[in-house]
């Protein structure tokens, strides 16, 4: 498949790091795709900026520190995310390639044994641009989410700090069905802003990620 890809579309990152980090990246991407989260949705649920997971998956920021892993476990708890144990050596040479083709994003990580040998450490694919499908259900869902958000503001739910993950799970309980994270992201951002303009504000003060609370 590589020989069918135009070079400008293929991104490669080669660097030395540990087997633990490579394994964690694999499990991060695998669990994210299996749960149906986009990179932006998972970043939102962790209370981080939208490029946070993208940078993590593309090896720009570390993934294995305790606070990051705790928050990933909270989100993936229904899937019982497990991080396997590897040795602590950090001199393994890996190369991660990513490319997009026909609404599919591919992840291909190779481990280089020596100058002439390499093995595929993992290869995953993710369907993207699914927004084009099921627009009617998406609009209905956004109406439900918007109504519930207004109700939660009026009943002082946001008098305490609430994380995106807490809010999303609370809304699923209230609605009684699964809702897309992107629907919550879209509607929540419409009621977050400056005092006098929007009812909610977000803050990272003394917190790993953003939390939401009513203006005083």
């Amino acid at each position: 498949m590589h020989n069918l890809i135009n070079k400008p579309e293929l991104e490669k990152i080669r660097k030395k790091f540990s087997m633990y980090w490579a394994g964690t990246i694999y499990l991060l991407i695998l669990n994210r795709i299996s749960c149906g989260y986009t990179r932006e949705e998972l970043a939102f649920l962790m209370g981080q900026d939208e490029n946070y997971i993208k940078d993590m998956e593309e090896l720009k920021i570390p993934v294995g520190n305790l606070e990051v892993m705790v928050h990933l476990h909270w989100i993936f708890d229904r899937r019982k995310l497990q991080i396997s144990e590897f040795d602590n050596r950090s001199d393994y040479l890996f190369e991660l390639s990513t490319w997009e083709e026909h609404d599919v994003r591919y992840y291909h990580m190779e481990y280089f044994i020596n100058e002439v040998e390499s093995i595929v450490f993992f290869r995953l694919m993710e369907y993207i641009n699914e927004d084009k499908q099921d627009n009617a259900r998406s609009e209905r869902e956004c109406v439900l989410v918007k109504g519930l958000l207004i109700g939660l503001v009026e009943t002082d739910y946001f008098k305490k700090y609430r994380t995106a993950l807490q809010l999303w799970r609370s809304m699923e309980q209230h609605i009684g069905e699964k809702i897309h994270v992107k629907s919550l992201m879209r509607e929540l951002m419409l009621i977050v802003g400056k005092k006098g303009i929007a009812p909610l504000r977000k803050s990272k003060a003394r917190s790993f990620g953003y939390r939401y609370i009513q203006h005083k």
Side-chain angles (χ1 to χ4, degrees), residues 153-170:
V153 170
E154 292 174 348
T155 55
D156 295 333
Y157 175 81
F158 289 101
K159 275 202 167 180
K160 293 181 179 180
Y161 280 108
R162 304 293 182 179
T163 67
L165 182 61
Q166 286 174 328
L167 178 57
W168 179 56
R169 288 188 174 161
S170 175

Side-chain angles (χ1 to χ4, degrees), residues 9 19 23 28 42 49 59 65 74 78 99 107-110 115 128 134 145 164-165 169 173 180 182 184-185 195 216:
E9 297 174 356
M19 283 285 184
L28 170 62
L42 183 54
D49 296 321
L59 316 181
N65 76 63
W74 285 344
R78 295 170 186 172
W99 68 93
Y107 303 84
H108 179 97
M109 184 175 277
E110 270 186 277
E115 292 181 357
I128 55 178
D134 206 6
V145 170
L165 182 61
R169 288 188 174 161
Q173 275 190 323
H180 292 95
K182 63 184 176 185
L184 174 58
M185 291 169 63
K195 189 174 183 179
K216 292 183 181 178

Side-chain angles (χ1 to χ4, degrees), residues 38-150:
T38 65
R39 291 165 161 182
E40 294 76 19
E41 287 172 341
L42 183 54
F44 170 75
L45 291 177
M46 291 183 73
Q48 300 297 326
D49 296 321
E50 64 175 18
N51 286 329
Y52 185 76
I53 297 299
K54 179 178 184 293
D55 288 345
M56 195 178 291
E57 289 182 353
E58 294 179 359
L59 316 181
K60 295 174 184 174
I61 57 176
V63 66
N65 76 63
L66 180 59
E67 196 161 27
V68 171
M69 297 313 300
V70 166
H71 281 77
L72 286 173
H73 272 278
W74 285 344
I75 294 169
F76 292 135
D77 67 344
R78 295 170 186 172
R79 294 189 55 80
K80 305 299 180 188
L81 173 70
Q82 295 293 330
I83 301 298
S84 300
E85 290 295 326
F86 296 97
D87 62 57
N88 292 321
R89 284 175 50 197
S90 59
D91 58 348
Y92 294 105
L93 182 61
F94 290 91
E95 182 176 87
L96 176 65
S97 302
T98 58
W99 68 93
E100 295 178 10
E101 191 175 7
H102 304 304
D103 290 341
V104 178
R105 182 184 294 129
Y106 296 89
Y107 303 84
H108 179 97
M109 184 175 277
E110 270 186 277
Y111 162 51
F112 288 83
I113 301 169
N114 52 46
E115 292 181 357
V116 296
E117 292 179 281
S118 69
I119 60 172
V120 175
F121 193 77
F122 69 78
R123 188 168 190 180
L124 296 169
M125 55 188 288
E126 171 186 14
Y127 291 99
I128 55 178
N129 298 329
E130 292 182 294
D131 296 0
K132 303 171 186 174
Q133 303 171 8
D134 206 6
N135 285 331
R137 184 184 186 284
S138 179
E139 287 303 317
R140 171 187 167 275
E141 189 173 85
C142 285
V143 170
L144 284 172
V145 170
K146 180 179 181 179
L148 187 51
L149 276 174
I150 292 170

